[in-house]
Coordinates of all heavy atoms in Angstrom, one line a residue:
Y185 N 7.0 -2.7 -7.7 CA 6.9 -4.0 -8.3 C 5.6 -4.8 -7.9 O 5.3 -5.8 -8.6 CB 8.1 -4.8 -7.8 CG 9.4 -4.3 -8.5 CD1 10.3 -3.5 -7.8 CD2 9.7 -4.7 -9.8 CE1 11.5 -3.1 -8.4 CE2 10.8 -4.2 -10.4 CZ 11.7 -3.4 -9.7 OH 12.9 -3.0 -10.3
G186 N 4.9 -4.4 -6.9 CA 3.8 -5.1 -6.5 C 2.4 -4.5 -6.8 O 1.4 -5.3 -6.9
I187 N 2.3 -3.2 -6.9 CA 1.1 -2.6 -7.2 C 0.9 -2.4 -8.7 O 1.8 -1.8 -9.3 CB 1.0 -1.2 -6.5 CG1 0.9 -1.4 -4.9 CG2 -0.2 -0.4 -6.9 CD1 0.9 -0.2 -4.1
P188 N -0.1 -2.8 -9.3 CA -0.3 -2.7 -10.8 C -0.2 -1.3 -11.2 O -0.6 -0.3 -10.5 CB -1.6 -3.3 -11.0 CG -1.9 -4.2 -9.9 CD -1.3 -3.5 -8.7
D189 N 0.2 -1.1 -12.5 CA 0.3 0.2 -13.0 C -1.0 0.9 -13.2 O -1.1 2.1 -13.1 CB 1.0 0.2 -14.4 CG 2.5 0.0 -14.3 OD1 3.0 -0.7 -13.4 OD2 3.2 0.6 -15.2
F190 N -2.1 0.1 -13.3 CA -3.4 0.7 -13.5 C -3.9 1.4 -12.2 O -4.9 2.1 -12.2 CB -4.5 -0.2 -14.0 CG -4.7 -1.5 -13.3 CD1 -5.4 -1.6 -12.1 CD2 -4.1 -2.7 -13.8 CE1 -5.6 -2.8 -11.5 CE2 -4.3 -3.9 -13.1 CZ -5.0 -3.9 -11.9
K191 N -3.2 1.1 -11.1 CA -3.5 1.7 -9.8 C -2.5 2.8 -9.5 O -2.9 3.8 -8.8 CB -3.6 0.7 -8.7 CG -4.8 -0.2 -8.7 CD -4.7 -1.3 -7.6 CE -4.8 -0.7 -6.2 NZ -4.8 -1.8 -5.2
L192 N -1.3 2.6 -9.9 CA -0.2 3.6 -9.6 C 0.8 3.5 -10.7 O 1.6 2.6 -10.8 CB 0.5 3.3 -8.3 CG 1.7 4.2 -7.9 CD1 1.2 5.7 -7.8 CD2 2.4 3.7 -6.7
E193 N 0.8 4.4 -11.7 CA 1.8 4.5 -12.8 C 3.1 4.9 -12.1 O 3.2 5.7 -11.3 CB 1.3 5.5 -13.8 CG 0.1 5.0 -14.6 CD -0.2 5.9 -15.8 OE1 0.7 6.5 -16.4 OE2 -1.4 6.1 -16.0
K194 N 4.1 4.2 -12.6 CA 5.5 4.3 -12.0 C 6.1 5.7 -12.3 O 7.1 6.0 -11.7 CB 6.4 3.2 -12.4 CG 5.7 1.8 -12.2 CD 5.0 1.7 -10.9 CE 4.3 0.3 -10.8 NZ 3.1 0.4 -9.9
K195 N 5.6 6.4 -13.2 CA 6.2 7.7 -13.5 C 6.0 8.7 -12.3 O 6.8 9.6 -12.2 CB 5.5 8.4 -14.8 CG 4.0 8.7 -14.6 CD 3.4 9.2 -15.9 CE 1.9 9.5 -15.7 NZ 1.3 10.0 -17.0
F196 N 5.0 8.4 -11.5 CA 4.9 9.2 -10.3 C 5.9 9.0 -9.2 O 6.3 9.8 -8.5 CB 3.5 9.0 -9.7 CG 2.4 9.4 -10.7 CD1 1.5 8.4 -11.2 CD2 2.2 10.7 -11.1 CE1 0.5 8.8 -12.1 CE2 1.2 11.0 -12.0 CZ 0.4 10.1 -12.5
I197 N 6.4 7.7 -9.2 CA 7.6 7.4 -8.3 C 8.8 8.1 -8.9 O 9.6 8.7 -8.1 CB 7.8 5.9 -8.2 CG1 6.5 5.2 -7.7 CG2 9.0 5.6 -7.3 CD1 6.6 3.7 -7.7
D198 N 9.0 8.0 -10.2 CA 10.2 8.6 -10.8 C 10.2 10.2 -10.6 O 11.2 10.8 -10.4 CB 10.2 8.3 -12.3 CG 10.3 6.8 -12.6 OD1 10.8 6.1 -11.7 OD2 9.9 6.4 -13.7
R199 N 9.0 10.7 -10.7 CA 8.9 12.2 -10.5 C 9.3 12.6 -9.1 O 10.1 13.6 -8.9 CB 7.4 12.6 -10.7 CG 7.1 14.1 -10.6 CD 5.7 14.4 -10.9 NE 4.8 13.8 -10.0 CZ 3.4 13.9 -10.1 NH1 2.9 14.6 -11.1 NH2 2.6 13.4 -9.2
R200 N 8.9 11.8 -8.1 CA 9.3 12.1 -6.7 C 10.8 11.8 -6.5 O 11.5 12.5 -5.7 CB 8.4 11.3 -5.7 CG 8.6 11.7 -4.3 CD 8.3 13.1 -4.0 NE 6.9 13.4 -3.9 CZ 6.4 14.5 -3.4 NH1 7.2 15.5 -3.0 NH2 5.1 14.7 -3.3
M201 N 11.3 10.8 -7.1 CA 12.7 10.5 -7.0 C 13.6 11.6 -7.5 O 14.7 11.9 -6.9 CB 13.1 9.2 -7.8 CG 12.7 7.9 -7.2 SD 13.0 6.5 -8.3 CE 14.8 6.7 -8.5
A202 N 13.2 12.3 -8.6 CA 13.9 13.4 -9.1 C 14.0 14.5 -8.0 O 15.1 15.2 -7.9 CB 13.3 14.0 -10.4
Q203 N 13.0 14.8 -7.3 CA 13.0 15.8 -6.2 C 13.9 15.4 -5.1 O 14.8 16.1 -4.7 CB 11.6 16.0 -5.7 CG 11.6 17.1 -4.6 CD 10.4 16.9 -3.6 OE1 9.9 15.8 -3.4 NE2 9.8 18.0 -3.2
M204 N 13.9 14.1 -4.7 CA 14.7 13.6 -3.7 C 16.2 13.6 -4.1 O 17.1 13.9 -3.2 CB 14.3 12.2 -3.3 CG 12.9 12.1 -2.7 SD 12.3 10.4 -2.4 CE 13.6 9.8 -1.2
R205 N 16.5 13.3 -5.3 CA 17.9 13.3 -5.8 C 18.4 14.8 -5.7 O 19.6 15.0 -5.3 CB 17.9 12.8 -7.2 CG 19.3 12.6 -7.7 CD 19.3 12.0 -9.1 NE 19.0 10.5 -9.1 CZ 17.9 10.0 -9.6 NH1 17.0 10.8 -10.1 NH2 17.7 8.7 -9.5
A206 N 17.6 15.7 -6.1 CA 18.0 17.1 -6.0 C 18.2 17.6 -4.5 O 19.0 18.5 -4.2 CB 17.0 18.0 -6.6
E207 N 17.5 16.9 -3.6 CA 17.7 17.2 -2.2 C 18.9 16.5 -1.6 O 19.2 16.8 -0.4 CB 16.4 16.8 -1.4 CG 15.2 17.7 -1.8 CD 13.9 17.1 -1.2 OE1 13.8 16.0 -0.8 OE2 12.9 17.9 -1.2
G208 N 19.5 15.7 -2.3 CA 20.8 15.1 -1.8 C 20.7 13.6 -1.6 O 21.7 13.0 -1.2
V209 N 19.5 13.0 -1.8 CA 19.4 11.5 -1.6 C 20.1 10.8 -2.7 O 19.9 11.1 -3.9 CB 18.0 11.0 -1.5 CG1 17.9 9.5 -1.3 CG2 17.2 11.7 -0.3
E210 N 21.0 9.8 -2.4 CA 21.7 9.0 -3.4 C 21.0 7.7 -3.4 O 20.8 7.0 -2.4 CB 23.1 8.8 -3.0 CG 23.9 8.0 -4.0 CD 25.4 7.8 -3.6 OE1 25.9 8.5 -2.7 OE2 26.0 6.9 -4.2

Side-chain angles (χ1 to χ4, degrees):
Y185 290 102
I187 295 176
D189 282 37
F190 56 79
K191 287 177 64 175
L192 175 65
E193 291 185 36
K194 309 316 174 211
K195 64 183 180 183
F196 299 115
I197 302 175
D198 297 335
R199 180 177 66 180
R200 188 59 80 167
M201 284 175 60
Q203 181 201 34
M204 293 174 63
R205 189 175 285 112
E207 292 170 343
V209 176
E210 181 181 345

